[in-house]
Amino acid sequence: MANELVVRALKGNAKKINLSSRNIDKLPKAFSRLTCVLVLQLNNNCLASLPLELQCLRLTELNLGNNDFEDIPVVLKHLNSLKKLYLFGNKISSLPPDVLEGLPYLSILNLNHNKITDLPSEIQRLRNLEMISLTDNQLEAIPAEIGLLKKLTEINLTNNKLTEIPRQLYNLTQWWKLHLARNNLTDLPEGVRGLENLKRLDVAGNQLSMFPADFQFLCLEDLFFEGNTLVQLELLHSTQKMEVLSLKEHAARFVLKEVLNKLSVVFRALPLYPDLQSTLSHWHRCALCLQPFLTTWLECVQFINLRKDMGMRRSQNIPVRVLLCSYCFNKAGHSFYGVAKI
């Protein structure tokens, strides 16, 4: 059957071949002659390997979904014209870094319903990736390097084993959709305000107690958070005795202000001190004075209404973390209502 379709394709110079659901377990070597083919559909078959002869093709789309692959075929690293790759519904447990190196133009990668436990840091080499889907795998962590994929607009990590996500994901300012449902997340990292283009966030079925500070400034259209243990607590009274601010806190605030000024000496010198640069990357913005700071003296919970405060369709209150710096905590009379974490 496969040989007959190859012969027809050769005669007609076909650019697309559909061999899905044909019970194929092996591809003929004659495939190497299909140099005109751009789209090849091999999903819903019994394939466990691919012949090296496929490297002669100039494919832009390849569908290998619902087959018997336990490893990603090595020949894929030679298909450097690929833009769309579908490998859902197989038995794949890892992504070889060398294969990722050979896919510079890949924009869509679908690895749903596999057995993948981790992603290599080499994922950053997929510079043109726009959508990656890894639903129903066994991921326990994702690498910070995924934050280097500047063209990424959608990532689906639903139904994995994630306990946290790296803060570097917030570097992806082009994001439209972020799916994190049915994992083991207990918290979302601070800095979420950087996701200025995010339209859909799905964190349903996790273990979140509240959302990160500045969450209400996102321009979301859809938010799914059912099945979490969001806080429903009585407000606590927290007091703090007047203390002299430490030199460390004064210095940190000064440096953080200078870093925002690209003409300052501090801004130009910071790249020479990578450890300091890493420390300063974890700064927060005070909810009262809006100034940057490093040391949190008080953490409160503020309830935000989705319709009133975020312009969404439904009216529902969600808990959002509010951070206060030591300056405001001392200056405002040392009395706030919330959950103290000094």
Side-chain angles (χ1 to χ4, degrees):
M1 176 67 71
N3 279 312
E4 292 178 6
L5 289 173
V6 170
V7 172
R8 291 182 200 168
L10 284 170
K11 292 181 178 179
N13 290 324
K15 293 186 178 181
K16 179 178 179 179
I17 295 183
N18 187 345
L19 289 172
S20 60
S21 304
R22 304 296 177 98
N23 203 31
I24 298 172
D25 59 6
K26 186 177 181 180
L27 294 182
K29 293 184 178 181
F31 261 85
S32 62
R33 299 166 60 188
L34 297 174
T35 55
C36 292
V37 175
L38 300 178
V39 177
L40 179 57
Q41 295 176 332
L42 294 167
N43 49 300
N44 304 321
N45 282 294
C46 305
L47 294 169
S49 63
L50 294 178
L52 290 176
E53 284 77 11
L54 279 185
Q55 64 185 296
C56 300
L57 306 187
R58 297 178 297 171
L59 296 177
T60 59
E61 180 177 336
L62 177 60
N63 192 335
L64 298 171
N66 293 329
N67 276 282
D68 293 324
F69 292 102
E70 295 185 1
D71 300 296
I72 292 183
V74 177
V75 69
L76 294 187
K77 69 180 180 181
H78 300 293
L79 301 179
N80 52 27
S81 296
L82 268 185
K83 295 182 179 180
K84 300 178 181 180
L85 176 59
Y86 303 92
L87 282 160
F88 56 86
N90 283 282
K91 305 171 185 176
I92 298 168
S93 59
S94 62
L95 275 68
D98 58 335
V99 172
L100 298 178
E101 290 180 358
L103 301 171
Y105 299 107
L106 197 67
S107 62
I108 294 178
L109 177 59
N110 187 323
L111 291 160
N112 295 342
H113 310 292
N114 278 286
K115 299 180 180 180
I116 299 172
T117 56
D118 63 352
L119 296 178
S121 59
E122 287 80 5
I123 192 76
Q124 63 180 294
R125 295 172 181 169
L126 302 178
R127 296 290 183 176
N128 285 290
L129 199 63
E130 297 177 9
M131 190 279 283
I132 180 171
S133 190
L134 287 146
T135 66
D136 295 299
N137 277 279
Q138 299 175 23
L139 290 171
E140 296 183 1
I142 52 178
E145 286 80 4
I146 203 168
L148 299 173
L149 302 177
K150 299 300 183 181
K151 293 186 178 181
L152 203 61
T153 61
E154 180 177 352
I155 183 168
N156 195 332
L157 300 170
T158 298
N159 200 21
N160 278 278
K161 299 179 180 180
L162 298 174
T163 57
E164 61 180 3
I165 59 172
R167 185 175 181 176
Q168 286 81 355
L169 286 182
Y170 294 164
N171 296 335
L172 304 176
T173 56
Q174 299 301 315
W175 261 9
W176 295 349
K177 301 177 182 179
L178 174 56
H179 301 271
L180 297 168
R182 297 191 296 281
N183 279 280
N184 299 317
L185 298 174
T186 58
D187 206 357
L188 296 177
E190 299 297 333
V192 69
R193 192 173 185 176
L195 300 178
E196 55 188 24
N197 290 313
L198 189 65
K199 300 302 180 186
R200 173 175 293 186
L201 175 62
D202 187 353
V203 291
N206 281 281
Q207 301 172 32
L208 300 177
S209 58
M210 69 183 75
F211 290 91
D214 292 343
F215 186 82
Q216 67 270 29
F217 296 110
L218 295 181
C219 297
L220 294 176
E221 295 177 357
D222 296 300
L223 172 63
F224 304 97
F225 56 89
E226 296 74 15
N228 283 282
T229 53
L230 298 179
V231 293
Q232 301 281 336
L233 50 79
E234 294 182 2
L235 298 179
L236 303 176
H237 185 66
S238 176
T239 60
Q240 172 70 30
K241 295 181 179 179
M242 174 65 75
E243 293 186 9
V244 177
L245 301 179
S246 68
L247 178 61
K248 179 181 178 180
E249 287 181 278
H250 280 291
R253 171 156 289 191
F254 171 78
V255 172
L256 286 169
K257 285 184 177 181
E258 288 296 301
V259 167
L260 298 177
N261 180 9
K262 295 184 179 181
L263 299 178
S264 70
V265 175
V266 174
F267 177 84
R268 296 197 299 269
L270 196 58
L272 301 177
Y273 303 92
D275 291 340
L276 176 59
Q277 193 171 23
S278 176
T279 299
L280 293 175
S281 68
H282 297 290
W283 65 277
H284 305 292
R285 189 181 298 277
C286 178
L288 291 184
C289 68
L290 302 181
Q291 295 298 315
F293 71 96
L294 287 177
T295 306
T296 301
W297 277 43
L298 189 72
E299 181 178 274
C300 303
V301 178
Q302 178 182 5
F303 285 87
I304 300 298
N305 186 276
L306 295 180
R307 178 180 296 173
K308 179 180 178 181
D309 300 310
M310 298 186 68
M312 298 180 66
R313 287 187 289 263
R314 57 176 169 170
S315 180
Q316 189 170 350
N317 293 327
I318 61 169
V320 173
R321 185 179 293 109
V322 178
L323 304 176
L324 302 177
C325 68
S326 54
Y327 290 77
C328 291
F329 189 77
N330 280 276
K331 183 178 179 182
H334 338 301
S335 181
F336 291 92
Y337 288 89
V339 181
K341 286 189 177 181
I342 301 176

